[in-house]
Amino acid sequence: MRAPIGFRISNRRKSLKISQASLARSLGISASYLNLIENNKRDIGGALLNRVAAQLDIDIDELAGRTEQKLLQDLEEAFADPLVESLAFRPDERRELVAQYPASAAALARMHRAYSSATAHADAYADRLRSDPLLSQLLHQILSGITAVRSSAEILEEVTDLDEAERRQFLSAIGRDTRTLSDVARNLIGQFETSSQNRRSVSPAREIDDLIIERQNHFPELESVADVLRAEIEQSGQFGTATLAALLESKFGVTLLVGGAPNDPEFPGQYKFDSARRAMWFQGASTLATRQFQLARLYGELAGADAIAHTLESATLSTPTAHRLASRAVGSYLAGAMVFPYARVLDDAEASAYDVDHLRQVYNASFEQVAHRLVTLRRPGEEGIPFGFLRSDPAGRLTKHFPLPGLLLPNSGHACPLWAIYGAFRVPDTMLRQVVRFSDGSRYLFLGRTVQRRSGSFREQPVLSSVMLACDVLHADRTIYGSGLDLSDLAADIPVGPSCRLCTRRDCASRQEEALSPGGSRSEIRAPLVPAEFGLGDPP
């Protein structure tokens, strides 16, 4: 879902007391067209958006509402919750809420986040209760107490002819039961050695997503450190595996080992750093692109440890696991910035119309590494196309993602089966492109391609994954992948959703799961192969 740019233009224009006709003349467009833009009935981007920002004297990031994109995505997820998804929301309700009542929208998103976190914690508690007889017994006592309180309360509420003595008797019973319930609850809590987690996110992955979105996929401090480290490396020779290996050995005493068995026989990866032995091991079948990137990451983590630590200081990371994964992600970002210097890769990307295969050859990199770097080209005033990134395993499970504000990506599990990230498995080693349209009218260019990790032996199963880049269709004509596409032909768009259980399309022949419905009630959107009258499992 896109940010409500039109509403922001309208509000800003009115605050400056500029008439619609006057602004339209200064922009070189008709007043009727500006009216459509202000009512969010026409997309706006590129040069026109820059002219509007200049005329209204407002920063383009603020006008485009990029800081609000995450809020829109959070509301999209909240409104798809099974508890509320059946309500009759208007198509633009979330967009208008963010535009006109941003504090209320943020409050709703925070409450849904807290609700999701509480649900996750409840599941964890349930798992523990099932394996602990004492805790299970305490839980049954709590349920019994709740039942007793509810029964007394319902009598007080529904029976209107109780005399005062009877009413006092039920009130006394409620008071007694609630005191007992409170004691049992304290005993239950005492069994768990937990601290307050009011501000904890649902999962480490979600916390890392929040960090990335908060920084708009761009870390200026790491970019500066990467430039310094790259220059330092190039003083010793041409940037590449040989120079990196020599510097790691001379400066940090790290030995490079290629081929042979890893130190840990049960380790299945292609590379591993043994900090005790100061050795960086690579599987013999690993590509030069993998070796270059991982050596750069190790060099960056050793030489730029302070910058990595400083980057994570302000992040909300509530567990050691979250901190470890975030440190890994930041280290990989630093490596990408070293392998692909910002100004140079941006110039090369623009010159080649974001041809990923061309950039692979220029930088001796893999398709996935180039895709990662394109996501991070967000330096103010020197921005590339804003991309989102997804990776899937052959089973369809999403294993890595860098969110694109406005595009609703499932936090886990599977995405829409019609997305290019899954279609790419049908045409290995070939770029698959799609122009897709979501039910809210937002349109994106999806680019999917398979990537494969080399197997080390005949007995080893090759690991195949699929990678997808996604950008707003407004930027499609800036890429080589937009060539030959009629981007104005809406009939050629592929209708998609975020995932089956979050999708509201009633006529989708590719639906694999029923849509979420509250309370286990009959779903209004049924799987295509199951007729509505065949109510297996549905209540009568």
Side-chain angles (χ1 to χ4, degrees), residues 249-487:
E249 185 168 11
S250 62
K251 296 187 65 172
F252 302 105
V254 175
T255 303
L256 174 62
L257 303 175
V258 178
N263 295 326
D264 182 356
E266 297 182 357
F267 180 72
Q270 287 195 302
Y271 53 87
K272 186 175 184 180
F273 175 57
D274 186 339
S275 58
R277 295 182 56 193
R278 308 299 288 177
M280 183 67 176
W281 172 85
F282 286 96
Q283 186 185 76
S286 60
T287 64
L288 290 177
T290 296
R291 296 177 197 175
Q292 175 181 261
F293 188 89
Q294 295 304 327
L295 288 174
R297 183 186 60 78
L298 180 58
Y299 188 90
E301 289 180 349
L302 295 175
D306 291 342
I308 293 175
H310 185 264
T311 300
L312 297 177
E313 282 179 359
S314 60
T316 302
L317 302 169
S318 58
T319 66
T321 298
H323 194 278
R324 177 175 58 82
L325 294 177
S327 179
R328 178 76 177 183
V330 171
S332 293
Y333 183 101
L334 180 59
M338 292 166 62
V339 175
F340 308 95
Y342 193 99
R344 193 185 311 174
V345 75
L346 178 59
D347 288 344
D348 288 338
E350 291 284 351
S352 65
Y354 292 84
D355 187 334
V356 178
D357 286 305
H358 171 74
L359 295 173
R360 290 174 61 190
Q361 302 302 317
V362 173
Y363 293 93
N364 298 316
S366 70
F367 182 91
E368 186 171 348
Q369 291 167 10
V370 174
H372 276 190
R373 188 51 169 153
L374 293 180
V375 171
T376 65
L377 300 181
R378 307 302 300 146
R379 179 181 291 172
E382 299 178 68
E383 299 177 332
I385 292 177
F387 283 105
F389 173 95
L390 278 176
R391 188 180 68 191
S392 168
D393 63 18
R397 184 176 61 91
L398 301 179
T399 58
K400 183 187 292 186
H401 67 292
F402 293 98
L404 173 66
L407 174 60
L408 179 62
L409 301 179
N411 290 314
S412 61
H414 302 75
C416 172
L418 297 176
W419 285 11
I421 193 169
Y422 301 130
F425 285 111
R426 297 192 294 269
V427 285
D429 298 323
T430 302
M431 182 71 83
L432 179 65
R433 60 181 182 176
Q434 297 176 322
V435 176
V436 301
R437 185 172 72 253
F438 287 78
S439 56
D440 66 349
S442 56
R443 303 170 70 216
Y444 295 89
L445 175 65
F446 283 178
L447 305 170
R449 181 168 180 160
T450 57
V451 294
Q452 181 172 325
R453 191 184 77 183
R454 290 180 180 177
S455 56
S457 68
F458 174 75
R459 297 180 182 276
E460 182 179 337
Q461 185 76 14
V463 178
L464 189 68
S465 299
S466 175
V467 167
M468 188 177 84
L469 284 171
C471 71
D472 194 295
V473 77
L474 293 173
H475 304 293
D477 58 358
R478 293 173 57 189
T479 74
I480 195 171
Y481 309 106
S483 301
L485 296 176
D486 185 358
L487 300 175

Side-chain angles (χ1 to χ4, degrees), residues 79-313:
F79 279 35
D81 191 280
L83 290 175
V84 299
E85 58 93 22
S86 62
L87 298 177
F89 296 114
R90 291 185 290 107
D92 288 335
E93 192 159 339
R94 282 147 287 189
R95 193 180 311 210
E96 293 176 8
L97 184 63
V98 171
Q100 300 180 31
Y101 306 103
S104 297
L108 284 174
R110 289 182 184 180
M111 285 191 289
H112 181 260
R113 176 69 66 84
Y115 160 74
S116 299
S117 181
T119 301
H121 295 153
D123 290 340
Y125 291 153
D127 289 340
R128 183 170 179 181
L129 288 169
R130 279 190 286 267
S131 61
D132 192 321
L134 173 60
L135 296 179
S136 180
Q137 181 180 358
L138 290 173
L139 180 59
H140 280 296
Q141 291 180 19
I142 288 177
L143 291 176
S144 297
I146 292 173
T147 302
V149 170
R150 179 178 177 178
S151 177
S152 298
E154 286 177 346
I155 291 174
L156 287 173
E157 182 180 18
E158 297 173 3
V159 180
T160 59
D161 57 350
L162 291 174
D163 58 33
E164 187 61 28
E166 291 173 324
R167 188 173 297 277
R168 283 197 302 271
Q169 180 180 356
F170 282 112
L171 288 173
S172 177
I174 290 176
R176 182 179 61 254
D177 291 335
T178 53
R179 286 190 294 272
T180 301
L181 186 61
S182 177
D183 292 338
V184 175
R186 276 195 293 267
N187 291 337
L188 176 62
I189 294 172
Q191 300 300 317
F192 292 87
E193 297 177 353
T194 58
S195 60
S196 175
Q197 298 184 6
N198 292 334
R199 298 184 178 272
R200 180 177 173 182
S201 295
V202 176
S203 67
R206 189 68 174 268
E207 291 181 348
I208 295 172
D209 280 352
D210 289 344
L211 172 63
I212 292 172
I213 292 175
E214 178 186 346
R215 306 295 179 85
Q216 296 186 11
N217 294 330
H218 183 70
F219 296 83
E221 180 182 357
L222 296 180
E223 296 285 351
S224 299
V225 172
D227 288 341
V228 172
L229 295 180
R230 172 87 183 209
E232 180 181 283
I233 293 167
E234 290 180 332
Q235 287 178 355
S236 299
Q238 183 178 359
F239 186 88
T241 56
T243 304
L244 284 165
L247 282 175
L248 281 168
E249 185 168 11
S250 62
K251 296 187 65 172
F252 302 105
V254 175
T255 303
L256 174 62
L257 303 175
V258 178
N263 295 326
D264 182 356
E266 297 182 357
F267 180 72
Q270 287 195 302
Y271 53 87
K272 186 175 184 180
F273 175 57
D274 186 339
S275 58
R277 295 182 56 193
R278 308 299 288 177
M280 183 67 176
W281 172 85
F282 286 96
Q283 186 185 76
S286 60
T287 64
L288 290 177
T290 296
R291 296 177 197 175
Q292 175 181 261
F293 188 89
Q294 295 304 327
L295 288 174
R297 183 186 60 78
L298 180 58
Y299 188 90
E301 289 180 349
L302 295 175
D306 291 342
I308 293 175
H310 185 264
T311 300
L312 297 177
E313 282 179 359

